[in-house]
Amino acid sequence: CTEKICICNDRQSQKVKSLAQYCLDLRYRRPTKGVIAKRAMHIGKLEGMEVEQNAAESIAESCGNDIRQVLNALQMWSCKRRSGGAKAAAVTYRDLRDRQSDINKDEVLRVSMFDACRTICEGAKNLAGADARAANASLMKRTDAFFVDYALMGLMVHQNYPKVLTGMYNRAKVNDDDDEEEAALNAVYDATEAMSDFGLVEEHLRGGDQNWSLLPLCSILAVKVGHHAGGPNGGFVGGNPEFAGWLGKNSSRGKRMRLLQELRRHLNHRVSADAPELRMNYLPAMRQQFSDLLFRRDGARVSEAIKLMDEYGLDRDDVFESFDEFVFAAKELEQVKFADLDSKSKAAFTRAYNATAHASQALVSEQGAEKKGRKKGGSDDAATELDVVNDDKNVESDGEEDHEENAEELLKKFGRKKKKKAAKTAAGKKGKKK
């Protein structure tokens, strides 16, 4: 048995919950600033430095409770002793405030992608009566938050800014204030327009132009979305920010486009339509036709369904897997899925389908097989017309030949044993007669 060590940052993730019951769950957390300060004071004493308690706690807090960064800060502070004498090595709270900008760890580096998204989407906060310097600092903070992960931050903002607008609109409805409701709707319009502008700029940034000089403009437009969504006093993202759902939707879209192209290649000898027309006009009608044949109270009409599949060049995976990917999710449509077909009907369909050759097997180039010559008087009409490589029959014939060879060898062996046994028996009888 080999031990494995798994490390995760999100203990509440659903993926971790299914794994945790088979693991020894050891939970660790960052040490508090008090613990770090005590240890920093001990290390400073060993190095000949006098570190005050409040100064050590301030260093730990400014470094985000990062012990490595705290040690680096103490080392930088000790370097002053070489030029200023022994007294300069003492770390006091007053001296720390003067030099804190030199040893402070960048706050943005400690911000997660979700916290950065919250900072952008909620807009400016606590700026009532503030001067221009404070407003500019708030703007720069939200702009820097975009660069925590500029590859995904636009999608994160797109996913979460409607939550801020929803809270604003709900408050307006609760207060029954028409002016406030109108202001909320105007904020929705302005934020959506800013998000659209962001999409246009990012298309030039990541598209064929690859104009990366537009990246600062993208950050400003993302901040503008949060500015309109949060309003003049800032908004609130209810709960934790959600991860960008566009990534999963785009993956599903790519899968369905690939399946649609495969269906189009299978149907191209009967259907002359592009992918959108096939999706909108042909597939619904074909799904309904197969559904009427397979989902029947008096039993599935397997032979008719297979005949229809052969007529259009479809295989079993097209019907039972690909068709289910093109079902509308609306509950009122109540479309059945072929994967829900009862096991008895599905088994009968599989036996009947594997018993014969089919037109879909003619797509040898897609299956990666090489075309072979036609066998004399061996195959069905459909297979002969399309020069089909019947893999199932080839496998069966190979198996039969091997079985015949093995049978012949066994007969020879047993034949020899029987002859030897008969010879021994005859010799024994002769000995007894003598």
Side-chain angles (χ1 to χ4, degrees), residues 408-421:
E408 291 176 1
E409 292 178 1
L410 291 173
L411 287 174
K412 288 180 181 178
K413 291 180 181 179
F414 282 109
R416 292 173 185 172
K417 290 182 179 179
K418 287 180 179 179
K419 289 179 181 179
K420 290 180 180 179
K421 189 174 182 181

Side-chain angles (χ1 to χ4, degrees), residues 66-125:
D66 189 338
I67 298 178
R68 185 184 292 109
Q69 188 68 19
V70 170
L71 295 178
N72 291 338
L74 292 176
Q75 186 177 10
M76 292 176 61
W77 198 280
S78 65
C79 291
K80 189 176 181 181
R81 177 172 53 179
R82 299 176 182 177
S83 59
K87 291 184 178 180
V91 182
T92 63
Y93 184 73
R94 179 178 296 180
D95 296 336
L96 180 65
R97 287 189 301 176
D98 297 335
R99 293 190 58 197
Q100 194 168 12
S101 59
D102 298 335
I103 63 175
N104 189 16
K105 186 176 181 180
D106 194 353
E107 184 180 357
V108 177
L109 299 179
R110 304 198 303 268
V111 176
S112 67
M113 180 174 60
F114 296 95
D115 292 336
C117 176
R118 182 190 296 275
T119 301
I120 295 174
C121 291
E122 291 182 350
K125 283 190 170 185

Side-chain angles (χ1 to χ4, degrees), residues 177-191:
D177 190 341
D178 294 338
D179 295 336
E180 189 176 356
E181 184 177 349
E182 182 180 358
L185 294 175
N186 289 332
V188 172
Y189 172 81
D190 294 335

